């Protein structure tokens, strides 16, 4: 899918009576700052981490601080989503907390107990790699050695101490976690999203296997799987108050019906899709990699079409009621006109994150 490089940018559509009034947080990949914009597209606040760190993705805490993961190009593995530094900035941009791990990537969350969970890469042994099925041989990832990479999770406390950890090579089943299609065998799973479930267990998303899994926090065992044949290189699963999962289904390797992205609401009890949003025509909404979705308090869904830098909001009926085209251009991986956004989040103007600040 192509998109207008020199077309209109900023807010291109807004129906105030049908959209959710708030401010939207996003970071253009390759930029120096994270931006907060109002419904008119005006930048109402921004944060810049201390150089040489550059922000990749962050979210606001209830006290108004930004918890942002950054990269400084010293990371040993440089695949999509890399970034070794987790930095908490107060509203004025001062560093109040930081954590450094060379191989963390993609996503991080604050658990209900106040600890933080991060995703990391680690090299598999030749014996572990030999058990992984699917995929094709291709150019390996840059970094020490040339082993296949697996994923791990770390839960860290305010002192930066690891209080819980999980390693995919110990708990995943090579018979069920199979690399899909033409995925290159430089990674097994490529975890791109993590969220805490309502019951305290963990849900993670695997791009390479087009799969979402539930992990018992107590045992580390996988007890639910969904995806292959239905999802395709999905991102950003989150659990709604009704227990269902909201998922950005990228569709990069969709086997039938053409290439398109969609946002789906999935009932994990029945493994049935109970709601979805698709573009019309389908190809008008398609993002290779990155991207996300958020269910808003008014029932609408905010969507980050990450590769194009398009942020928009749709009703349950699929009507677009707000659209913003990212005007910020940043050089990234050889592309001069990049506007890509990993994920964006809308906050209510009267919520604790921004109340009285904008």
């Amino acid at each position: 899918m192509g998109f207008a490089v020199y077309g209109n940018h900023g807010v291109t559509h807004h129906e105030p009576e049908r959209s959710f009034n708030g401010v939207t947080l996003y970071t253009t990949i390759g930029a120096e700052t994270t931006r907060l914009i109002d419904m008119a597209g005006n930048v109402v606040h921004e944060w810049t981490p201390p150089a040489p760190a550059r922000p990749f993705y962050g979210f606001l805490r209830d006290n108004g601080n930004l918890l942002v993961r950054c990269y400084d190009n010293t990371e040993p593995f440089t695949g999509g989503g890399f970034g070794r530094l987790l930095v908490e900035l107060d509203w004025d941009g001062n560093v109040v907390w930081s954590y450094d791990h060379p191989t963390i990537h993609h996503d991080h969350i604050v658990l209900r107990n106040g600890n933080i969970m991060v995703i990391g890469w680690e090299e598999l042994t030749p014996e572990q790699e030999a058990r992984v099925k699917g995929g094709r041989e291709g150019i390996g990832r840059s970094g020490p050695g040339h082993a296949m990479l697996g994923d791990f999770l770390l839960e860290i406390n305010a002192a930066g101490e690891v209080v819980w950890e999980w390693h995919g090579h110990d708990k995943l089943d090579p018979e069920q976690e199979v690399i899909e299609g033409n995925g290159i065998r430089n990674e097994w799973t490529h975890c791109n999203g993590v969220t805490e479930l309502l019951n305290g267990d963990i849900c993670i998303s695997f791009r390479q296997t087009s799969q979402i899994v539930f992990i018992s926090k107590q045992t580390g065992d996988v007890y639910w799987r969904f995806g292959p044949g239905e999802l395709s290189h999905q991102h950003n699963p989150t659990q709604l108050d009704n227990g269902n999962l909201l998922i950005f289904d990228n569709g990069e390797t969709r086997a039938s019906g053409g290439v398109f992205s969609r946002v789906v609401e999935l009932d994990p009890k029945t493994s049935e899709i109970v709601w979805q949003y698709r573009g019309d025509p389908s190809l008008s909404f398609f993002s290779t990699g990155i991207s996300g979705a958020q269910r808003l308090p008014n029932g609408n869904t905010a969507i980050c079409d990450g590769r194009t830098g398009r942020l928009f909001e749709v009703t349950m009926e699929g009507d677009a009621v707000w659209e913003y085209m990212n005007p910020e251009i940043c050089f990234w991986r050889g592309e001069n006109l990049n506007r890509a956004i990993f994920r964006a989040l809308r906050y209510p103007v009267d919520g604790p994150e921004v109340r009285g600040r904008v």
Side-chain angles (χ1 to χ4, degrees):
M1 173 188 174
F3 61 94
V5 174
Y6 301 106
N8 292 334
H9 295 100
V11 173
T12 60
H13 180 68
H14 186 201
E15 299 180 33
E17 69 283 357
R18 303 177 69 193
S19 55
F20 179 74
N21 185 34
V23 288
T24 301
L25 183 78
Y26 77 91
T27 304
T28 307
I29 298 177
E32 296 180 352
T33 64
T34 294
R35 291 178 164 181
L36 191 68
I37 61 169
D38 62 17
M39 297 299 288
N42 301 309
V43 177
V44 296
H45 199 69
E46 59 185 18
W47 294 261
T48 302
R54 289 195 175 220
F56 180 80
Y57 161 69
F59 53 82
L60 295 179
R61 307 192 68 167
D62 286 349
N63 60 3
N65 289 357
L66 175 72
L67 186 61
V68 60
R69 200 171 45 75
C70 306
Y71 61 94
D72 65 5
N73 291 313
T74 65
E75 290 81 1
F77 305 126
T78 56
F82 73 95
R84 66 181 298 157
L85 303 169
L86 195 58
V87 181
E88 184 171 351
L89 303 173
D90 67 17
W91 191 262
D92 296 320
N94 302 304
V95 176
V96 298
W97 183 84
S98 64
Y99 176 76
D100 184 357
H101 189 295
T103 71
I104 59 175
H105 62 92
H106 278 91
D107 203 3
H108 58 283
I109 55 171
V110 177
L111 302 171
R112 285 189 287 275
N113 65 8
N115 292 339
I116 294 170
M117 184 164 287
V118 296
I119 305 166
W121 280 306
E122 60 187 348
E123 292 186 337
L124 301 183
T125 67
E127 294 75 21
Q128 291 165 344
E129 180 176 340
R131 299 178 62 215
V132 175
K133 300 180 182 300
R136 63 181 175 85
E137 297 300 327
I139 298 173
R141 182 172 310 284
S142 61
H146 300 283
M148 177 182 286
L149 298 180
D151 287 299
F152 64 83
L153 302 174
L154 297 180
E155 177 182 347
I156 55 178
N157 62 20
E161 300 165 334
V162 176
V163 298
W164 182 89
E165 58 186 295
W166 178 91
H167 297 267
H169 58 74
D170 287 334
K171 294 295 186 178
L172 296 179
D173 182 357
E175 296 297 327
Q176 299 201 61
E177 279 76 53
V178 178
I179 298 175
E180 184 186 48
N182 285 326
I184 299 175
R185 289 177 59 89
N186 57 356
E187 285 186 75
W188 181 7
T189 45
H190 190 91
C191 184
N192 59 28
V194 58
T195 192
E196 185 179 23
L197 298 172
L198 297 175
N199 65 2
D201 289 339
I202 302 299
C203 170
I204 53 179
S205 168
F206 293 140
R207 181 182 184 274
Q208 283 278 80
T209 62
S210 292
Q211 193 168 60
I212 291 172
V213 303
F214 288 176
I215 297 169
S216 167
K217 188 70 183 304
Q218 182 174 8
T219 67
D221 295 332
V222 174
Y223 64 87
W224 182 84
R225 294 173 169 88
F226 180 85
E230 187 64 60
L231 302 179
S232 170
H233 285 194
Q234 75 293 324
H235 285 72
N236 193 205
T238 56
Q239 191 168 38
L240 306 176
D241 290 340
N242 63 7
N244 292 348
L245 298 175
L246 191 68
I247 304 163
F248 190 103
D249 180 17
N250 294 76
E252 293 177 37
T253 59
R254 205 175 303 284
S256 60
V259 177
F260 61 89
S261 295
R262 59 180 179 164
V263 175
V264 301
E265 182 179 337
L266 171 73
D267 184 345
K269 297 187 296 295
T270 62
S271 294
E272 294 181 358
I273 293 174
V274 299
W275 177 86
Q276 66 174 303
Y277 169 80
R278 289 172 55 176
D280 184 16
S282 295
L283 191 55
S284 67
F285 174 39
F286 175 60
S287 178
T288 60
I290 55 180
S291 308
Q294 175 192 11
R295 182 60 48 81
L296 298 171
N298 67 347
N300 290 351
T301 301
I303 300 172
C304 172
D305 186 344
R307 193 62 68 186
T308 66
R310 176 188 178 217
L311 310 178
F312 63 109
E313 176 185 347
V314 300
T315 65
M316 291 297 288
E317 295 73 33
D319 299 329
V321 295
W322 182 82
E323 181 187 65
Y324 174 82
M325 300 298 294
N326 182 16
E328 186 176 26
I329 296 173
C330 298
F331 179 81
W332 180 252
R333 293 188 171 182
E335 296 183 349
N336 291 313
L337 297 177
N338 161 70
R339 290 184 171 92
I341 301 168
F342 175 68
R343 194 182 298 168
L345 293 166
R346 176 84 55 83
Y347 296 93
V349 291
D350 60 352
E353 300 90 352
V354 298
R355 185 188 301 123
R357 299 184 177 94
V358 297

